[in-house]
Amino acid sequence: MTTTSARDTDYRIGTALVVEDDPILALSLEDILLGGGSPEVIVCSSTRQALAALERKRPDVLVLDVHLVDRDDGWAVAELVTELGPQVPRIVFSTGNPQAIPPAIKEMGKVLVKPYAPEALLEAVRDTRRTGLLQRLRGAISHD
């Protein structure tokens, strides 16, 4: 009898880029995403590493710690990603202080407040709704 794991059947997550400067949390996020079906997880601990990773490959999902060691505005990576092309990754902000994120930035993706359950992360990255600039403009136009 053959068993099928989530990794074998559920690729809705796609390739994930995790930008997290806490190494234990980064490993945990990587395990959760791989276990949830992501075929590849790229882990970076700084904005500089994240930018280099983005030059090599566009992820389907971006899990971004808002307060990194090298920058206190980790959402700058999300702003850049939304400007790089029409295929904007699903963005999840990970923070202990959600009030520090500007409202316009919060609209770019989901905000998870640390600590959060693995299921909350998987639900956020599997959400197929895109929230990039073009999608927000379309939403504003369709609501008028």
Side-chain angles (χ1 to χ4, degrees), residues 42-141:
I42 302 160
V43 178
C44 300
S45 62
S46 69
T47 303
R48 182 180 306 189
Q49 288 178 355
L51 295 177
L54 286 168
E55 286 181 16
R56 291 187 301 274
K57 185 168 191 172
R58 290 290 306 249
D60 300 297
V61 172
L62 174 63
V63 180
L64 181 61
D65 182 2
V66 173
H67 303 288
L68 298 165
V69 170
D70 64 340
R71 289 187 67 120
D72 204 34
D73 65 343
W75 58 78
V77 174
E79 289 177 305
L80 175 66
V81 143
T82 62
E83 300 298 321
L84 291 178
Q87 188 64 10
V88 177
R90 294 177 303 278
I91 299 171
V92 178
F93 297 105
S94 175
T95 183
N97 185 11
Q99 297 80 10
I101 304 173
I105 300 298
K106 286 181 183 179
E107 292 177 11
M108 297 171 73
K110 302 260 185 200
V111 177
L112 295 180
V113 180
K114 294 177 183 176
Y116 47 84
E119 296 79 18
L121 175 63
L122 292 175
E123 181 179 321
V125 299
R126 287 180 176 147
D127 187 347
T128 59
R129 289 174 289 154
R130 304 292 177 146
T131 54
L133 177 61
L134 292 176
Q135 289 75 16
R136 291 191 315 238
L137 289 172
R138 284 185 195 124
I141 292 168

